[in-house]
Structure formats: structure tokens, C-alpha cells
Amino acid sequence: MWKMKRVAAVVALGWAAALSASAGEVEVLHYWTSGGEAKSVAELKKIMQAKGHTWRDFAVAGGGGDSAMTVLKSRVISGNPPSAAQTKGPAIQEWASEGVLANMDALAKAEKWDELLPKVVADVMKYKGAYVAAPVNVHRVNWMWGSADALKKAGVAAMPKTWDEFFAAADKLKAAGLVPVAHGGQNWQDFTTFESVVLGVGGPKFYQDALVKLDNTALTSDTMKKSLETFRRIKGYTDPGAPGRDWNLATAMLIQGKAGFQLMGDWAKGEFLAAGKQPGKDFLCAAAPGSANAFTFNVDSFILFKLKDAAAQKAQSDLASAIMSPAFQEVFNLNKGSIPVRAGMPMDKFDDCAKASAKDFVDTAKSGGLVPSAAHGMAIAPATEGAIKDAVSQFWNDDKITVADAMKKIAAAAKTK
Ligand code: GAL
């Protein structure tokens, strides 16, 4: 017995020595600060700490990540990048072309990332054929959320499938003294609603032409006119408190039964879940009106910076490996509201909204309905996206701007290089 204890102690000492020899620090920049988001990122921290590494949290508040990107730029320019930063889409290529990202190919090859990721996702994570980023999830942006309490109070029997049904339901909510649409105040929230309207009004092909290819004919078409008219009409169903409100506080209005609907990606589900609410019972999920045959994808990922220190490099490689691990992909996405990006993951622990998302992701990839989210950095280079986002948001916020003028401004913004 005594001997066994001694052996155990020696083994434990050996482990501790092994851990400290390879233990490093990971500094991770992210913008996951709402209730559901913070719970999700805490899972990554736990995994890294269990591997013996030190997690240095670099959280920059602000949904959509605009503030986080500004802070990241100044850190990299001063020659002191974090180990990893939450960055996605074409912005990954921009960072890689600056020569500041690490080549993660040795790990990616050893772990067969090419086989585990859909090609559309893998391509975005690579620069000149080598992995420079690791993906965590697939968010669907074209969701609409419903508060079961509010809808019941207003006599709305089901989630609307078309924009006509939506406005009829919104009128009922208004008549019941409720806020029909919970909306917040940042420009990315306006753009999020706008892209779902464009998708619902024009369909996936039109969405591709207008918001991915930035085709001038599409951007100045009657369908765009109709999209802008529908978008403006929605504003009439928001409350005067919307300007300046964070997206998660808009979700809270549904949780409290004060508002009927929110047009928002499925990170909103993370808020409902963190508040102990159940899908199908307390809150409802449905594709944004008119967009059931489409899926706007938003893949969160971490870019990995070149580091000098060997222990920090090891910690960074362990971070990337943890991100792609089945254990993390499951627990993170259960909290975050998204679905795993890694192929072959069991979905049995996921709720019906996530199961619908997983099915629609596969189905729309075949039908042509799978499109990148413009409002969430998946479709267009950051400078162009920013210009379009501003034009869309100005139109939303200033009722004096006509639809015709907004259309011209958006088309001009799309030419920003
Ligand atoms: C998105 C991001 C999500 C979520 C949301 C609100 O752009 O992909 O993970 O955090 O912003 O901040």
C-alpha cells in the first residue's frame, strides 16, 4: 500500500514536471461577453487549463466584433500580437497577407482537418494552401426568434413564414401593447436584419448577386427597392428604446415576454439557454420570413499569430487542437447556439433548432441556398462591408432618406476598395 502510494506520488511528480515543461500561456482575444457567449468561451479556457496552460483572457466587449478588431490592429502594429484572435471570413486573408500569422499545417495534417471540415470552410481558414486559422462553429444568421408568452398574449398562433404573415402578426402584437420587434442600436444589428430581409424578399440567388458579388444591376433593381421598403416597414414595429441597445438586451425583451420577435443569428439562442429557457416551449425559432430554403452561414474562427517563445507556440498549437476536438465542438456549441463545424459530430444532445440548422446546412449546400453572411464578415472584404453597413444603417436610422437615395448610397458603398 505504502509502496503504491509512493509510486503514485512519483508518477504525479513526473506529470507535473512534464506539464510545466510544456506549459505556456495563451492570450486569446475575443468579443464573447454576453451571458451565453461568456459561458461558451469559458469552456475553451477550462480545456486549456486542464492541459496545464495559462489562459489570458483578452475580451473586448461589443457585439459583432468591430471594437475588438480595432484593438487587435493596434496590438499587432505595436509588435505584440495575442496568441489567437477571433476573426473570420475574408479578414483572415487580409491578416495572413501581412505575414503575421503562424502556419498551422503540421497540426492540421496530423489531425486531418481537410477531412473534418467542409471545403468551403477549410478554404477560408487557409492562406496560400496552409492553415492559419481554426474554426469553432457554424452560426446561422437568417433566424427569427419568437417569445412564446408574447405571441400567446397577442393571439399569434404560429411563427410567420412570409413577410405578409409577419406584418399581420406584428400588428397583433402592437394591438396587445407589446413591442412587435426587439431591435438594438449598433449598425451591425441593422445590417443583420437587412440581409435577412434581402434573402427573404429576393431569395438566395438574388442575395448572392446583391450582397456577395455586389453586382450593380442587382443592387439597383426593383427587388432591392422592395427589400429596402420591407426593411423600413419593420422599423415601424420597433420601440423608441432601440437606439444604443445591445443585441442581448433585445433578446432579453423576448425572454421577459415584452417583445414578440427578434431577427438575429443563433447566438441569440445562447442567451435564451443561459436564462434557463427552453426551445419550443418558452421561445420559438424559425427561418426569417421567406428564407426557409436558404442558410446564411457565419463561421467563427481564431487566427493564430506567429509567436517567438517555444512554450507559447506549444500552447497555441494545443489551443488550435482543442478548438477542433469533438469534446470542445460539442460543449461550446451547446452553449453558443451554433452547430459544430467538425464533420461527423453526434447531434443527439442538441435541441430542435440546432438539429434543423444542421439539416438545413447540408440541404442548402446541395440546393444552392447556402450563402455567406455579409453582415458577419463572411462575404465581403472588411472595408467594403463597413461602407455598406454604414449606408444601410443610415437609411434605417434616418426616415428622411428615400429608398431611391439609399439604393444609390448602398451601390456606391459597394464600390469601396
Ligand atoms: C457575430 C459572431 C457571433 C456572436 C455575435 C454577437 O458576428 O459571429 O459569435 O458573437 O457576433 O457578438
Side-chain angles (χ1 to χ4, degrees):
M1 188 62 192
W2 178 86
K3 216 175 169 186
M4 266 179 66
K5 267 193 190 154
R6 216 174 63 157
V7 170
V10 170
V11 170
L13 270 175
W15 264 107
L19 276 180
S20 64
S22 62
E25 182 183 271
V26 278
E27 189 185 13
V28 184
L29 182 144
H30 63 91
Y31 48 93
W32 287 328
T33 55
S34 77
E37 291 173 333
K39 268 184 91 173
S40 315
V41 75
E43 296 296 339
L44 190 54
K45 177 179 173 178
K46 264 193 238 164
I47 294 178
M48 289 305 286
Q49 287 174 336
K51 286 179 191 258
H53 297 302
T54 308
W55 174 278
R56 195 174 337 159
D57 202 51
F58 188 178
V60 181
D66 288 343
S67 312
M69 289 309 107
T70 309
V71 174
L72 177 62
K73 270 179 203 144
S74 65
R75 274 288 297 270
V76 180
I77 288 167
S78 67
N80 180 27
S83 317
Q86 189 194 342
T87 301
K88 50 193 174 172
I92 296 175
Q93 308 298 314
E94 287 195 358
W95 279 110
S97 68
E98 297 291 327
V100 290
L101 300 189
N103 182 332
M104 305 303 291
D105 254 9
L107 175 75
K109 287 220 168 75
E111 295 190 345
K112 302 192 167 45
W113 289 13
D114 272 348
E115 287 164 40
L116 294 170
L117 294 172
K119 191 172 181 303
V120 286
V121 176
D123 287 347
V124 178
M125 302 300 132
K126 292 177 187 175
Y127 179 68
K128 296 194 173 158
Y131 278 95
V132 292
V136 298
N137 63 357
V138 181
H139 270 304
R140 183 183 198 176
V141 180
N142 63 316
W143 279 116
M144 187 164 77
W145 307 93
S147 159
D149 270 356
L151 297 185
K152 196 167 163 220
K153 227 180 270 170
V156 176
M159 290 292 276
K161 290 192 169 61
T162 64
W163 287 107
D164 285 346
E165 283 178 20
F166 169 82
F167 288 117
D171 281 334
K172 285 189 183 169
L173 284 154
K174 203 174 203 172
L178 297 161
V179 178
V181 181
H183 191 76
Q186 293 96 25
N187 59 4
W188 71 268
Q189 295 192 56
D190 305 335
F191 198 14
T192 300
T193 295
F194 181 68
E195 78 170 22
S196 283
V197 172
V198 170
L199 187 65
V201 169
K205 162 85 174 68
F206 176 75
Y207 176 97
Q208 279 276 7
D209 289 345
L211 295 183
V212 182
K213 294 182 189 154
L214 305 178
D215 171 53
N216 194 60
T217 312
L219 286 169
T220 53
S221 64
D222 281 349
T223 310
M224 184 50 80
K225 180 167 173 268
K226 191 155 176 237
S227 302
L228 283 161
E229 285 164 358
T230 308
F231 181 55
R232 172 155 282 168
R233 206 172 149 201
I234 296 171
K235 190 189 166 192
Y237 292 92
T238 61
D239 70 321
R245 180 187 287 140
D246 286 329
W247 67 271
N248 51 319
L249 299 181
T251 311
M253 292 166 71
L254 272 71
I255 293 173
Q256 293 153 6
K258 291 180 184 156
F261 301 122
Q262 183 183 18
L263 287 145
M264 186 55 65
D266 42 20
W267 45 95
K269 199 182 75 186
E271 293 307 296
F272 286 109
L273 298 179
K277 299 295 169 191
Q278 279 179 38
K281 180 173 163 271
D282 305 314
F283 69 96
L284 309 164
C285 60
S291 74
N293 61 348
F295 189 120
T296 28
F297 68 88
N298 171 22
V299 174
D300 285 314
S301 49
F302 283 92
I303 49 173
L304 303 146
F305 284 91
K306 276 184 188 158
L307 302 171
K308 290 190 191 90
D309 178 65
Q313 283 172 2
K314 169 76 172 81
Q316 180 186 55
S317 172
D318 284 356
L319 176 78
S321 173
I323 286 172
M324 280 291 289
S325 70
F328 169 76
Q329 291 272 327
E330 179 174 271
V331 71
F332 177 86
N333 287 302
L334 282 170
N335 283 294
K336 189 70 168 68
S338 38
I339 55 171
V341 67
R342 182 186 166 111
M345 291 283 301
M347 291 297 290
D348 47 298
K349 289 200 191 136
F350 286 83
D351 59 44
D352 289 346
C353 304
K355 284 182 183 139
S357 185
K359 182 182 180 303
D360 291 350
F361 185 62
V362 174
D363 290 353
T364 56
K366 287 179 197 144
S367 69
L370 183 64
V371 291
S373 166
H376 290 275
M378 288 283 114
I380 332 167
T384 320
E385 183 197 322
I388 299 175
K389 182 157 59 187
D390 283 346
V392 167
S393 186
Q394 275 164 18
F395 172 71
W396 175 269
N397 285 299
D398 184 351
D399 295 338
K400 289 194 290 291
I401 300 177
T402 63
V403 165
D405 279 346
M407 203 142 66
K408 274 186 217 147
K409 282 191 179 155
I410 292 169
K415 296 197 171 84
T416 308
K417 286 282 175 254

